[in-house]
Amino acid sequence: MKYLFLLLLSLPILAKAQQTSPCMNIAQAREFDFWIGEWDANVTGSEKLAGHSKIEIASGGCMILENWTSAGQPFTGKSMNFVDPATGKWKQVWVGSGGLNVTEFLNGEYRDGAMRFEYETLSPAGKKQFVKFHFYNISKNEVRQLHQTSEDGSVWVTTYDFTYKRKA
């Protein structure tokens, strides 16, 4: 009886928590949680440090917020990652400190162990460009971030390729 009473007392608290953080209970909103933590990012296949990143849950669990600092240069940036209610797909909005450095990554889906943003856009020269931006969930302590572009959808050029190692 004592446990039933405690359970009944906790129900309003749980209901209130669900109201203030509704995304914490939505499976799709939790798909990118594997990236949460503090990381050192190296150029994949090397020990060359690219930067540091702190990834955290924000906005009541409805957003994953990245805080990036490049190594060796005074460049920082933030990305907001969330499920776009208009499309039902993940979206990333990146804003960097290097001037007008704003990028939107679209159509994100978590499948086959990776968050995959894949879409068409216009290159800075105004030409059609295909983009793949993938976050591979390698393990609890390792995430690979791979950004590639293509003019024709068959030949891909790697823009950057980082391996994130969780800080101890």
CSV table of all heavy atoms in Angstrom, one decimal, residues 12-76:
chain,number,residue,atom,x,y,z
A,12,PRO,N,1.6,13.0,-10.7
A,12,PRO,CA,1.5,14.4,-11.2
A,12,PRO,C,2.9,15.0,-11.5
A,12,PRO,O,3.0,15.8,-12.4
A,12,PRO,CB,0.9,15.2,-10.0
A,12,PRO,CG,0.2,14.1,-9.2
A,12,PRO,CD,1.0,12.9,-9.4
A,13,ILE,N,3.9,14.5,-10.8
A,13,ILE,CA,5.3,15.0,-11.1
A,13,ILE,C,5.7,14.5,-12.5
A,13,ILE,O,6.3,15.3,-13.3
A,13,ILE,CB,6.3,14.5,-10.0
A,13,ILE,CG1,5.9,15.2,-8.7
A,13,ILE,CG2,7.7,14.9,-10.4
A,13,ILE,CD1,6.6,14.6,-7.5
A,14,LEU,N,5.5,13.2,-12.8
A,14,LEU,CA,5.8,12.7,-14.1
A,14,LEU,C,5.0,13.4,-15.2
A,14,LEU,O,5.6,13.7,-16.2
A,14,LEU,CB,5.5,11.2,-14.1
A,14,LEU,CG,6.4,10.3,-13.3
A,14,LEU,CD1,5.9,8.9,-13.3
A,14,LEU,CD2,7.9,10.4,-13.9
A,15,ALA,N,3.8,13.6,-15.0
A,15,ALA,CA,2.9,14.3,-16.0
A,15,ALA,C,3.5,15.7,-16.2
A,15,ALA,O,3.5,16.2,-17.4
A,15,ALA,CB,1.5,14.4,-15.5
A,16,LYS,N,3.9,16.4,-15.2
A,16,LYS,CA,4.4,17.8,-15.3
A,16,LYS,C,5.7,17.7,-16.1
A,16,LYS,O,6.0,18.6,-17.0
A,16,LYS,CB,4.6,18.5,-14.0
A,16,LYS,CG,5.0,19.9,-14.1
A,16,LYS,CD,4.9,20.6,-12.8
A,16,LYS,CE,5.3,22.1,-13.1
A,16,LYS,NZ,4.3,23.0,-12.6
A,17,ALA,N,6.6,16.8,-15.8
A,17,ALA,CA,7.9,16.6,-16.5
A,17,ALA,C,7.6,16.3,-18.0
A,17,ALA,O,8.3,16.9,-18.9
A,17,ALA,CB,8.7,15.5,-15.9
A,18,GLN,N,6.6,15.5,-18.3
A,18,GLN,CA,6.3,15.3,-19.7
A,18,GLN,C,5.8,16.5,-20.4
A,18,GLN,O,6.0,16.7,-21.6
A,18,GLN,CB,5.3,14.1,-19.8
A,18,GLN,CG,5.9,12.8,-19.5
A,18,GLN,CD,4.9,11.6,-19.5
A,18,GLN,OE1,3.7,11.8,-19.4
A,18,GLN,NE2,5.5,10.4,-19.6
A,19,GLN,N,5.1,17.4,-19.7
A,19,GLN,CA,4.6,18.6,-20.3
A,19,GLN,C,5.7,19.6,-20.6
A,19,GLN,O,5.7,20.3,-21.6
A,19,GLN,CB,3.6,19.3,-19.4
A,19,GLN,CG,2.2,18.5,-19.3
A,19,GLN,CD,1.3,19.1,-18.2
A,19,GLN,OE1,1.7,20.0,-17.5
A,19,GLN,NE2,0.1,18.6,-18.2
A,20,THR,N,6.7,19.7,-19.7
A,20,THR,CA,7.8,20.6,-19.8
A,20,THR,C,8.9,20.1,-20.7
A,20,THR,O,9.7,20.9,-21.3
A,20,THR,CB,8.4,21.0,-18.5
A,20,THR,OG1,8.9,19.8,-17.8
A,20,THR,CG2,7.4,21.7,-17.6
A,21,SER,N,9.0,18.8,-20.9
A,21,SER,CA,10.0,18.2,-21.8
A,21,SER,C,9.4,17.1,-22.6
A,21,SER,O,9.8,15.9,-22.5
A,21,SER,CB,11.2,17.6,-20.9
A,21,SER,OG,11.8,18.6,-20.2
A,22,PRO,N,8.4,17.4,-23.4
A,22,PRO,CA,7.7,16.4,-24.2
A,22,PRO,C,8.6,15.6,-25.1
A,22,PRO,O,8.3,14.4,-25.3
A,22,PRO,CB,6.6,17.1,-24.9
A,22,PRO,CG,7.2,18.5,-25.1
A,22,PRO,CD,8.0,18.7,-23.8
A,23,CYS,N,9.6,16.2,-25.6
A,23,CYS,CA,10.5,15.5,-26.6
A,23,CYS,C,11.3,14.4,-26.0
A,23,CYS,O,11.8,13.5,-26.7
A,23,CYS,CB,11.4,16.5,-27.3
A,23,CYS,SG,10.4,17.6,-28.4
A,24,MET,N,11.5,14.4,-24.7
A,24,MET,CA,12.3,13.4,-24.0
A,24,MET,C,11.6,12.0,-24.1
A,24,MET,O,12.3,11.0,-24.0
A,24,MET,CB,12.5,13.7,-22.5
A,24,MET,CG,13.4,14.9,-22.3
A,24,MET,SD,15.0,14.8,-23.1
A,24,MET,CE,15.8,13.6,-22.1
A,25,ASN,N,10.3,12.0,-24.4
A,25,ASN,CA,9.6,10.7,-24.5
A,25,ASN,C,9.2,10.4,-26.0
A,25,ASN,O,8.4,9.5,-26.2
A,25,ASN,CB,8.3,10.8,-23.7
A,25,ASN,CG,8.6,11.0,-22.2
A,25,ASN,OD1,9.5,10.2,-21.7
A,25,ASN,ND2,8.1,12.0,-21.6
A,26,ILE,N,9.8,11.1,-27.0
A,26,ILE,CA,9.5,10.8,-28.4
A,26,ILE,C,10.8,10.1,-28.9
A,26,ILE,O,11.9,10.6,-29.0
A,26,ILE,CB,9.2,12.1,-29.1
A,26,ILE,CG1,8.0,12.8,-28.5
A,26,ILE,CG2,9.1,11.8,-30.6
A,26,ILE,CD1,7.8,14.2,-29.1
A,27,ALA,N,10.6,8.9,-29.4
A,27,ALA,CA,11.7,8.0,-29.8
A,27,ALA,C,12.5,8.7,-30.9
A,27,ALA,O,13.7,8.7,-30.9
A,27,ALA,CB,11.2,6.7,-30.3
A,28,GLN,N,11.8,9.3,-31.9
A,28,GLN,CA,12.6,10.0,-33.0
A,28,GLN,C,13.5,11.1,-32.5
A,28,GLN,O,14.6,11.3,-33.0
A,28,GLN,CB,11.6,10.5,-34.1
A,28,GLN,CG,12.3,11.1,-35.3
A,28,GLN,CD,11.4,11.7,-36.3
A,28,GLN,OE1,10.2,12.0,-36.0
A,28,GLN,NE2,11.9,11.8,-37.5
A,29,ALA,N,13.0,11.9,-31.5
A,29,ALA,CA,13.8,13.0,-30.9
A,29,ALA,C,15.0,12.5,-30.2
A,29,ALA,O,15.9,13.3,-29.9
A,29,ALA,CB,12.9,13.8,-30.0
A,30,ARG,N,15.1,11.2,-29.9
A,30,ARG,CA,16.2,10.6,-29.1
A,30,ARG,C,17.2,10.0,-30.1
A,30,ARG,O,18.2,9.4,-29.6
A,30,ARG,CB,15.7,9.6,-28.1
A,30,ARG,CG,14.7,10.2,-27.1
A,30,ARG,CD,15.2,11.1,-26.0
A,30,ARG,NE,16.1,12.0,-26.3
A,30,ARG,CZ,15.9,13.3,-26.6
A,30,ARG,NH1,14.7,13.8,-26.7
A,30,ARG,NH2,16.9,14.2,-26.9
A,31,GLU,N,17.0,9.9,-31.4
A,31,GLU,CA,17.8,9.2,-32.3
A,31,GLU,C,19.2,9.7,-32.4
A,31,GLU,O,20.2,9.0,-32.7
A,31,GLU,CB,17.2,9.2,-33.7
A,31,GLU,CG,15.9,8.4,-33.8
A,31,GLU,CD,15.3,8.6,-35.2
A,31,GLU,OE1,15.4,9.6,-35.8
A,31,GLU,OE2,14.5,7.6,-35.5
A,32,PHE,N,19.5,11.0,-32.1
A,32,PHE,CA,20.8,11.6,-32.2
A,32,PHE,C,21.5,11.7,-30.9
A,32,PHE,O,22.6,12.3,-30.8
A,32,PHE,CB,20.6,13.0,-32.9
A,32,PHE,CG,21.7,13.4,-33.8
A,32,PHE,CD1,21.6,14.6,-34.5
A,32,PHE,CD2,22.9,12.7,-34.0
A,32,PHE,CE1,22.6,15.0,-35.4
A,32,PHE,CE2,23.9,13.1,-34.8
A,32,PHE,CZ,23.7,14.3,-35.6
A,33,ASP,N,20.9,11.1,-29.8
A,33,ASP,CA,21.5,11.2,-28.5
A,33,ASP,C,22.9,10.5,-28.4
A,33,ASP,O,23.7,10.8,-27.6
A,33,ASP,CB,20.6,10.5,-27.5
A,33,ASP,CG,19.4,11.4,-27.1
A,33,ASP,OD1,19.3,12.5,-27.7
A,33,ASP,OD2,18.6,11.0,-26.2
A,34,PHE,N,23.2,9.6,-29.4
A,34,PHE,CA,24.5,9.0,-29.3
A,34,PHE,C,25.7,10.0,-29.5
A,34,PHE,O,26.8,9.7,-29.1
A,34,PHE,CB,24.7,7.9,-30.4
A,34,PHE,CG,24.6,8.4,-31.9
A,34,PHE,CD1,25.8,8.8,-32.5
A,34,PHE,CD2,23.4,8.5,-32.6
A,34,PHE,CE1,25.8,9.3,-33.8
A,34,PHE,CE2,23.4,9.0,-33.9
A,34,PHE,CZ,24.6,9.3,-34.5
A,35,TRP,N,25.4,11.2,-30.0
A,35,TRP,CA,26.4,12.2,-30.2
A,35,TRP,C,26.6,13.1,-29.0
A,35,TRP,O,27.5,13.9,-28.9
A,35,TRP,CB,26.0,13.1,-31.4
A,35,TRP,CG,27.0,13.9,-32.0
A,35,TRP,CD1,28.4,13.7,-32.0
A,35,TRP,CD2,26.8,15.2,-32.7
A,35,TRP,NE1,29.0,14.8,-32.7
A,35,TRP,CE2,28.1,15.7,-33.1
A,35,TRP,CE3,25.7,15.9,-33.0
A,35,TRP,CZ2,28.2,16.8,-33.8
A,35,TRP,CZ3,25.8,17.1,-33.7
A,35,TRP,CH2,27.1,17.5,-34.1
A,36,ILE,N,25.7,13.0,-28.0
A,36,ILE,CA,25.8,13.8,-26.8
A,36,ILE,C,27.0,13.5,-26.0
A,36,ILE,O,27.4,12.4,-25.8
A,36,ILE,CB,24.5,13.7,-25.9
A,36,ILE,CG1,23.3,14.2,-26.7
A,36,ILE,CG2,24.7,14.4,-24.6
A,36,ILE,CD1,22.0,13.8,-26.0
A,37,GLY,N,27.7,14.6,-25.6
A,37,GLY,CA,29.0,14.4,-24.8
A,37,GLY,C,30.0,15.4,-25.1
A,37,GLY,O,29.7,16.4,-25.9
A,38,GLU,N,31.2,15.3,-24.6
A,38,GLU,CA,32.3,16.1,-24.9
A,38,GLU,C,33.3,15.3,-25.6
A,38,GLU,O,33.7,14.2,-25.3
A,38,GLU,CB,32.9,16.7,-23.6
A,38,GLU,CG,32.0,17.7,-22.9
A,38,GLU,CD,32.7,18.5,-21.8
A,38,GLU,OE1,33.8,19.0,-22.0
A,38,GLU,OE2,32.0,18.6,-20.7
A,39,TRP,N,33.8,15.9,-26.8
A,39,TRP,CA,34.6,15.2,-27.7
A,39,TRP,C,35.8,15.9,-28.2
A,39,TRP,O,35.8,17.2,-28.3
A,39,TRP,CB,33.7,14.9,-29.0
A,39,TRP,CG,32.4,14.2,-28.8
A,39,TRP,CD1,31.2,14.9,-28.5
A,39,TRP,CD2,32.1,12.9,-28.8
A,39,TRP,NE1,30.3,13.9,-28.3
A,39,TRP,CE2,30.8,12.7,-28.5
A,39,TRP,CE3,32.9,11.7,-29.1
A,39,TRP,CZ2,30.2,11.4,-28.5
A,39,TRP,CZ3,32.3,10.5,-29.0
A,39,TRP,CH2,30.9,10.3,-28.8
A,40,ASP,N,36.9,15.2,-28.6
A,40,ASP,CA,38.0,15.7,-29.4
A,40,ASP,C,37.8,15.1,-30.7
A,40,ASP,O,37.5,13.9,-30.9
A,40,ASP,CB,39.3,15.2,-28.8
A,40,ASP,CG,39.7,15.9,-27.5
A,40,ASP,OD1,39.4,17.1,-27.3
A,40,ASP,OD2,40.3,15.2,-26.6
A,41,ALA,N,37.8,15.9,-31.8
A,41,ALA,CA,37.6,15.5,-33.1
A,41,ALA,C,38.9,15.5,-33.9
A,41,ALA,O,39.6,16.6,-34.0
A,41,ALA,CB,36.6,16.3,-33.8
A,42,ASN,N,39.3,14.4,-34.4
A,42,ASN,CA,40.5,14.3,-35.2
A,42,ASN,C,40.1,14.1,-36.7
A,42,ASN,O,39.1,13.5,-37.0
A,42,ASN,CB,41.4,13.1,-34.8
A,42,ASN,CG,42.0,13.3,-33.5
A,42,ASN,OD1,42.3,14.4,-33.0
A,42,ASN,ND2,42.2,12.2,-32.7
A,43,VAL,N,41.0,14.5,-37.6
A,43,VAL,CA,40.9,14.1,-39.0
A,43,VAL,C,40.9,12.6,-39.1
A,43,VAL,O,41.9,12.0,-38.5
A,43,VAL,CB,42.0,14.8,-39.9
A,43,VAL,CG1,41.8,14.3,-41.3
A,43,VAL,CG2,41.9,16.3,-39.8
A,44,THR,N,39.9,12.0,-39.7
A,44,THR,CA,39.8,10.5,-39.7
A,44,THR,C,41.1,9.9,-40.3
A,44,THR,O,41.6,10.4,-41.3
A,44,THR,CB,38.5,10.1,-40.4
A,44,THR,OG1,37.4,10.6,-39.7
A,44,THR,CG2,38.4,8.6,-40.5
A,45,GLY,N,41.6,8.9,-39.6
A,45,GLY,CA,42.7,8.2,-40.0
A,45,GLY,C,44.0,8.8,-39.6
A,45,GLY,O,45.1,8.4,-40.0
A,46,SER,N,44.0,9.8,-38.7
A,46,SER,CA,45.2,10.5,-38.3
A,46,SER,C,45.0,10.9,-36.8
A,46,SER,O,44.0,10.8,-36.2
A,46,SER,CB,45.4,11.7,-39.1
A,46,SER,OG,44.6,12.8,-38.7
A,47,GLU,N,46.1,11.4,-36.3
A,47,GLU,CA,46.0,12.0,-34.9
A,47,GLU,C,45.9,13.5,-35.0
A,47,GLU,O,46.1,14.2,-33.9
A,47,GLU,CB,47.3,11.6,-34.1
A,47,GLU,CG,47.4,10.1,-33.9
A,47,GLU,CD,46.2,9.6,-33.0
A,47,GLU,OE1,45.8,10.2,-32.0
A,47,GLU,OE2,45.6,8.5,-33.4
A,48,LYS,N,45.7,14.1,-36.2
A,48,LYS,CA,45.6,15.5,-36.3
A,48,LYS,C,44.3,16.0,-35.7
A,48,LYS,O,43.2,15.7,-36.2
A,48,LYS,CB,45.7,15.9,-37.8
A,48,LYS,CG,45.6,17.4,-38.0
A,48,LYS,CD,45.7,17.8,-39.4
A,48,LYS,CE,45.6,19.3,-39.5
A,48,LYS,NZ,45.5,19.8,-40.9
A,49,LEU,N,44.4,16.8,-34.7
A,49,LEU,CA,43.2,17.4,-34.0
A,49,LEU,C,42.6,18.4,-34.9
A,49,LEU,O,43.2,19.4,-35.3
A,49,LEU,CB,43.6,18.0,-32.6
A,49,LEU,CG,42.5,18.5,-31.8
A,49,LEU,CD1,41.6,17.3,-31.3
A,49,LEU,CD2,43.1,19.2,-30.6
A,50,ALA,N,41.3,18.3,-35.1
A,50,ALA,CA,40.5,19.2,-35.9
A,50,ALA,C,39.8,20.2,-35.0
A,50,ALA,O,39.6,21.4,-35.3
A,50,ALA,CB,39.5,18.5,-36.8
A,51,GLY,N,39.4,19.7,-33.8
A,51,GLY,CA,38.7,20.6,-32.9
A,51,GLY,C,38.1,19.9,-31.7
A,51,GLY,O,38.3,18.7,-31.5
A,52,HIS,N,37.3,20.6,-30.9
A,52,HIS,CA,36.7,20.1,-29.8
A,52,HIS,C,35.2,20.4,-29.9
A,52,HIS,O,34.8,21.5,-30.4
A,52,HIS,CB,37.2,20.8,-28.5
A,52,HIS,CG,38.7,20.7,-28.4
A,52,HIS,ND1,39.4,19.6,-27.9
A,52,HIS,CD2,39.6,21.6,-28.7
A,52,HIS,CE1,40.7,19.9,-28.0
A,52,HIS,NE2,40.8,21.1,-28.4
A,53,SER,N,34.4,19.5,-29.4
A,53,SER,CA,32.9,19.7,-29.5
A,53,SER,C,32.2,19.3,-28.2
A,53,SER,O,32.6,18.2,-27.6
A,53,SER,CB,32.4,18.9,-30.7
A,53,SER,OG,31.2,19.5,-31.1
A,54,LYS,N,31.3,20.1,-27.8
A,54,LYS,CA,30.4,19.7,-26.6
A,54,LYS,C,29.0,19.7,-27.2
A,54,LYS,O,28.5,20.6,-27.7
A,54,LYS,CB,30.5,20.7,-25.5
A,54,LYS,CG,29.7,20.4,-24.3
A,54,LYS,CD,29.8,21.4,-23.2
A,54,LYS,CE,28.9,21.0,-22.0
A,54,LYS,NZ,28.9,22.0,-21.0
A,55,ILE,N,28.4,18.5,-27.1
A,55,ILE,CA,27.1,18.3,-27.6
A,55,ILE,C,26.2,18.0,-26.4
A,55,ILE,O,26.4,17.2,-25.6
A,55,ILE,CB,27.0,17.0,-28.5
A,55,ILE,CG1,28.2,17.0,-29.5
A,55,ILE,CG2,25.7,16.9,-29.2
A,55,ILE,CD1,28.4,18.1,-30.4
A,56,GLU,N,25.0,18.8,-26.4
A,56,GLU,CA,24.1,18.7,-25.2
A,56,GLU,C,22.7,18.7,-25.7
A,56,GLU,O,22.3,19.2,-26.8
A,56,GLU,CB,24.4,19.8,-24.3
A,56,GLU,CG,24.4,21.2,-24.8
A,56,GLU,CD,25.0,22.2,-23.9
A,56,GLU,OE1,25.1,22.0,-22.7
A,56,GLU,OE2,25.5,23.2,-24.5
A,57,ILE,N,21.8,18.2,-24.8
A,57,ILE,CA,20.4,18.2,-25.0
A,57,ILE,C,20.0,19.7,-24.6
A,57,ILE,O,20.4,20.2,-23.6
A,57,ILE,CB,19.7,17.2,-24.1
A,57,ILE,CG1,20.0,15.8,-24.6
A,57,ILE,CG2,18.2,17.5,-24.1
A,57,ILE,CD1,19.3,14.7,-23.8
A,58,ALA,N,19.1,20.2,-25.4
A,58,ALA,CA,18.6,21.6,-25.2
A,58,ALA,C,17.1,21.7,-25.5
A,58,ALA,O,16.5,20.7,-26.1
A,58,ALA,CB,19.4,22.6,-26.0
A,59,SER,N,16.5,22.7,-25.1
A,59,SER,CA,15.1,23.0,-25.4
A,59,SER,C,14.2,21.9,-25.0
A,59,SER,O,13.3,21.4,-25.8
A,59,SER,CB,14.9,23.4,-26.9
A,59,SER,OG,15.7,24.5,-27.2
A,60,GLY,N,14.3,21.5,-23.8
A,60,GLY,CA,13.4,20.4,-23.2
A,60,GLY,C,13.6,19.1,-23.9
A,60,GLY,O,12.6,18.3,-23.9
A,61,GLY,N,14.7,18.8,-24.5
A,61,GLY,CA,14.9,17.6,-25.2
A,61,GLY,C,14.5,17.6,-26.7
A,61,GLY,O,14.7,16.6,-27.3
A,62,CYS,N,14.1,18.7,-27.1
A,62,CYS,CA,13.6,18.8,-28.5
A,62,CYS,C,14.8,19.2,-29.5
A,62,CYS,O,14.6,19.3,-30.7
A,62,CYS,CB,12.5,19.9,-28.6
A,62,CYS,SG,11.0,19.4,-27.7
A,63,MET,N,16.0,19.5,-28.9
A,63,MET,CA,17.1,19.9,-29.8
A,63,MET,C,18.4,19.3,-29.2
A,63,MET,O,18.5,19.2,-28.0
A,63,MET,CB,17.2,21.4,-29.8
A,63,MET,CG,18.3,21.9,-30.7
A,63,MET,SD,18.3,23.7,-30.9
A,63,MET,CE,18.7,24.3,-29.2
A,64,ILE,N,19.3,19.0,-30.1
A,64,ILE,CA,20.7,18.6,-29.8
A,64,ILE,C,21.5,19.8,-30.2
A,64,ILE,O,21.5,20.2,-31.4
A,64,ILE,CB,21.1,17.3,-30.5
A,64,ILE,CG1,20.2,16.2,-30.2
A,64,ILE,CG2,22.6,17.0,-30.2
A,64,ILE,CD1,20.2,15.7,-28.8
A,65,LEU,N,22.2,20.4,-29.2
A,65,LEU,CA,23.0,21.6,-29.5
A,65,LEU,C,24.5,21.3,-29.5
A,65,LEU,O,25.0,20.7,-28.5
A,65,LEU,CB,22.7,22.7,-28.4
A,65,LEU,CG,23.5,24.0,-28.5
A,65,LEU,CD1,23.1,24.7,-29.8
A,65,LEU,CD2,23.3,24.8,-27.3
A,66,GLU,N,25.2,21.6,-30.6
A,66,GLU,CA,26.6,21.4,-30.7
A,66,GLU,C,27.3,22.7,-30.5
A,66,GLU,O,26.9,23.8,-31.0
A,66,GLU,CB,26.9,20.9,-32.1
A,66,GLU,CG,28.4,20.9,-32.4
A,66,GLU,CD,28.8,20.6,-33.8
A,66,GLU,OE1,28.0,20.9,-34.7
A,66,GLU,OE2,29.9,20.2,-34.1
A,67,ASN,N,28.4,22.7,-29.7
A,67,ASN,CA,29.3,23.8,-29.5
A,67,ASN,C,30.7,23.4,-29.9
A,67,ASN,O,31.4,22.6,-29.3
A,67,ASN,CB,29.3,24.1,-28.0
A,67,ASN,CG,27.9,24.4,-27.4
A,67,ASN,OD1,27.4,25.5,-27.6
A,67,ASN,ND2,27.3,23.4,-26.8
A,68,TRP,N,31.1,24.0,-31.1
A,68,TRP,CA,32.4,23.6,-31.7
A,68,TRP,C,33.4,24.6,-31.6
A,68,TRP,O,33.2,25.8,-31.7
A,68,TRP,CB,32.1,23.3,-33.2
A,68,TRP,CG,33.3,23.1,-34.0
A,68,TRP,CD1,34.0,24.1,-34.8
A,68,TRP,CD2,34.1,21.9,-34.2
A,68,TRP,NE1,35.1,23.5,-35.4
A,68,TRP,CE2,35.2,22.2,-35.1
A,68,TRP,CE3,33.9,20.6,-33.7
A,68,TRP,CZ2,36.1,21.2,-35.4
A,68,TRP,CZ3,34.8,19.7,-34.1
A,68,TRP,CH2,35.9,20.0,-34.9
A,69,THR,N,34.7,24.2,-31.3
A,69,THR,CA,35.8,25.1,-31.4
A,69,THR,C,36.9,24.4,-32.2
A,69,THR,O,37.3,23.3,-31.9
A,69,THR,CB,36.4,25.4,-29.9
A,69,THR,OG1,35.3,25.9,-29.1
A,69,THR,CG2,37.5,26.3,-30.0
A,70,SER,N,37.4,25.1,-33.2
A,70,SER,CA,38.4,24.5,-34.1
A,70,SER,C,39.8,24.5,-33.4
A,70,SER,O,40.0,25.4,-32.6
A,70,SER,CB,38.5,25.3,-35.4
A,70,SER,OG,37.4,25.0,-36.2
A,71,ALA,N,40.6,23.6,-33.7
A,71,ALA,CA,42.0,23.5,-33.2
A,71,ALA,C,42.9,24.4,-34.1
A,71,ALA,O,42.7,24.4,-35.3
A,71,ALA,CB,42.5,22.1,-33.1
A,72,GLY,N,43.8,25.2,-33.5
A,72,GLY,CA,44.8,25.9,-34.2
A,72,GLY,C,44.3,27.2,-34.9
A,72,GLY,O,45.0,27.8,-35.6
A,73,GLN,N,43.0,27.5,-34.8
A,73,GLN,CA,42.5,28.7,-35.4
A,73,GLN,C,41.3,29.2,-34.6
A,73,GLN,O,40.6,28.4,-34.0
A,73,GLN,CB,42.1,28.5,-36.9
A,73,GLN,CG,41.1,27.4,-37.1
A,73,GLN,CD,40.8,27.2,-38.5
A,73,GLN,OE1,40.6,28.2,-39.3
A,73,GLN,NE2,40.7,26.0,-39.0
A,74,PRO,N,41.1,30.5,-34.6
A,74,PRO,CA,40.0,31.0,-33.7
A,74,PRO,C,38.7,30.9,-34.5
A,74,PRO,O,38.1,31.9,-35.0
A,74,PRO,CB,40.5,32.5,-33.5
A,74,PRO,CG,41.2,32.8,-34.7
A,74,PRO,CD,41.9,31.6,-35.1
A,75,PHE,N,38.2,29.7,-34.6
A,75,PHE,CA,36.9,29.5,-35.3
A,75,PHE,C,36.0,28.7,-34.4
A,75,PHE,O,36.4,27.7,-33.9
A,75,PHE,CB,37.1,28.8,-36.6
A,75,PHE,CG,35.8,28.6,-37.4
A,75,PHE,CD1,35.2,29.6,-38.1
A,75,PHE,CD2,35.2,27.3,-37.4
A,75,PHE,CE1,34.1,29.4,-38.8
A,75,PHE,CE2,34.0,27.1,-38.1
A,75,PHE,CZ,33.5,28.2,-38.8
A,76,THR,N,34.8,29.2,-34.2
A,76,THR,CA,33.8,28.5,-33.4
A,76,THR,C,32.5,28.4,-34.1
A,76,THR,O,32.3,29.1,-35.1
A,76,THR,CB,33.5,29.2,-32.0
A,76,THR,OG1,33.0,30.5,-32.3
A,76,THR,CG2,34.8,29.3,-31.2
